Amino acid sequence: MGIWHERAARADCDGRALINGERVWAAADARFDNLSPVDGRLLGQVARCDGRDVERAVALARAAFEDGRWAGQAPAARKRVLLRLAELMLAHADELALLETLDMGKPIQYSLSVDVALAANCIRWYGEAIDKLYGEVAPAPADSLALVVREPVGVVAAITPWNYPLLMAAWKIGPALAAGNSVILKPSEKAPLSALRLGELAHAAGLPPGVFHVLPGFGPEAGAALALHMDVDSIGFTGSTRVGKQIQQMAGQSNLKRAWTELGGKSANIVCADCPDLDAAVQAAVGSIFFNQGESCNAPSRLFVERAIYAAFMEKALALVPRYAPADPLEESTVMGALVDGQQQQTVLGYIESGQNEGARLLTGGTAARTDSGGCYVAPTIFDQVRPEMRIAREEIFGPVLSVLCFDDVHEAVRQANATSYGLHAAVWTRELGKAVQLARALRAGTVHINQYDSDDITVPFGGYKQSGNGRDKSLHAFDKYTELKTIWMQIA
Ligand code: NAI
Ligand code: MG
């Protein structure tokens, strides 16, 4: 038994809500079981918060905002708290990483090196940014002074998904808290534990009680109560396009709260015959779709390969697949873990079946894996001979399934790449710089990668065109979602 198994046996999987700095069960005392997709073990129970808990948390958040206990602190003081929180997250990295792995099945090495590390970096970055943000002095006539200042929007709700639970929470609460807002975080019912622990660490870092609450529960209950609330000013959502549409409707039905959505994707990865490094392109194509078990909104799930290199590319790609065989997420060598739950596993297997029924060619995988583990695993799967009208070419699968299409004309590939309701990420591989930039401009996506797939960091915005959502997480642009611009016009003569 490895070290992480021993730690898992002792893990504190406290599923109580965090309201006003205290861990509490839901007002109605409803709870649900939290089963780990690693091996089916019962981790504990989670508070099933509903409208009553939302009422309480929003009232506390509003009162905290009004009395200025956080919003009224100097930016440098808020910065100190966020920097302490980032340090505490790193000090508790093992604990946070273990909760993430047990809750949603990703390999422990990535929970540590990706999720916890990037989430702490995100909190630190927004802490560091907040005392360097200047307002504007407008070019007003000589008898006037016109200032443009940024103010916190007030009470922010963050509704987050299960695929990167801690990191998505950090992308929302980092800029929202730095700007001085009160925040209510509703983590996914499928992976709430790391967000709850994050809330405790924020209080340990010196965040005043009342400013930040974490309410686990189901979407149509706790989530909808937040989206419909008349006293929530802005909502940052990451999840499915289906629910993103509902969030915007609920904002419109209630108080027109700002509704920011980061939704699904069906990102296209276009590899031209003049690709500068075929091995790197193959590694990125395979590694990026299988990373996080394929449960990434920006996963390059549609691969377009030019005919001249098609056979060589696919041979190299298939040779890499055994590396991604699902294994125990609690072993440090594992690179592919479990899907988040049995429901997601069934959804993915259903897509695989549809690909076979619609006439795509299954090259590898296609089945559940590690079936004697009690967990939720799917073998890395590659289809080729995929046609654009097939479901596996159009819909977000959110699992380790790659759909490969062959092309002769790169402009036709770009047209097909854009023929989707999504627009999150895209990539092109070519050694010709002018062609690369022209294609990058033609691709309708929030991020376009050239000759790489996963390099980006907190300094650049992340978000989608079309039905991949609106607004941007990360970078200074994220402050736009959680602040208002106020004009102050003074007569001075
Ligand atoms: P989801 O969109 O249902 O859940 C995301 C969040 O929204 C969760 O916190 C959930 O509780 C909440 N929610 C659900 N219904 C709600 C409602 N009526 N009102 C307010 N909040 C609500 O995502 P789900 O069902 O967990 O995953 C389904 C599919 O969504 C995945 O297979 C994938 O295709 C996509 N997805 C995309 C993500 C992304 O990163 N863009 C993340 C998670 C899922
Ligand atoms: Mg779970």
Side-chain angles (χ1 to χ4, degrees), residues 159-163 186-190 217-220 223-224 237-240 242-243 246-247 250 262-264 297 344 396-398:
I159 299 182
T160 49
W162 43 261
N163 54 342
K186 208 299 281 171
S188 170
E189 58 273 29
K190 298 186 181 191
F218 292 100
F237 172 81
T238 296
S240 63
R242 182 183 66 82
V243 176
Q246 294 174 9
I247 297 284
M250 288 187 272
E262 202 272 280
L263 310 174
C297 50
Q344 188 66 13
E396 180 173 58
I397 298 174
F398 233 59

Side-chain angles (χ1 to χ4, degrees), residues 358-427:
E358 291 186 292
R361 181 169 64 173
L362 180 65
L363 295 177
T364 185
T367 56
R370 302 194 78 229
T371 43
D372 52 1
S373 67
C376 311
Y377 301 83
V378 171
T381 298
I382 301 181
F383 281 104
D384 80 345
Q385 299 178 2
V386 175
R387 290 189 312 277
E389 67 277 11
M390 293 178 180
R391 281 181 69 207
I392 59 167
R394 288 187 290 112
E395 297 177 22
E396 180 173 58
I397 298 174
F398 233 59
V401 182
L402 179 63
S403 299
V404 190
L405 300 91
C406 183
F407 72 87
D408 295 298
D409 170 14
V410 73
H411 299 291
E412 175 57 17
V414 167
R415 197 193 60 74
Q416 283 183 21
N418 285 339
T420 164
S421 56
Y422 294 117
L424 198 50
H425 280 208

Side-chain angles (χ1 to χ4, degrees), residues 34-37 43 102-104 189-192 340:
N34 186 3
L35 301 179
S36 175
L43 295 171
L102 288 173
D103 226 2
M104 59 70 68
E189 58 273 29
K190 298 186 181 191
V340 67

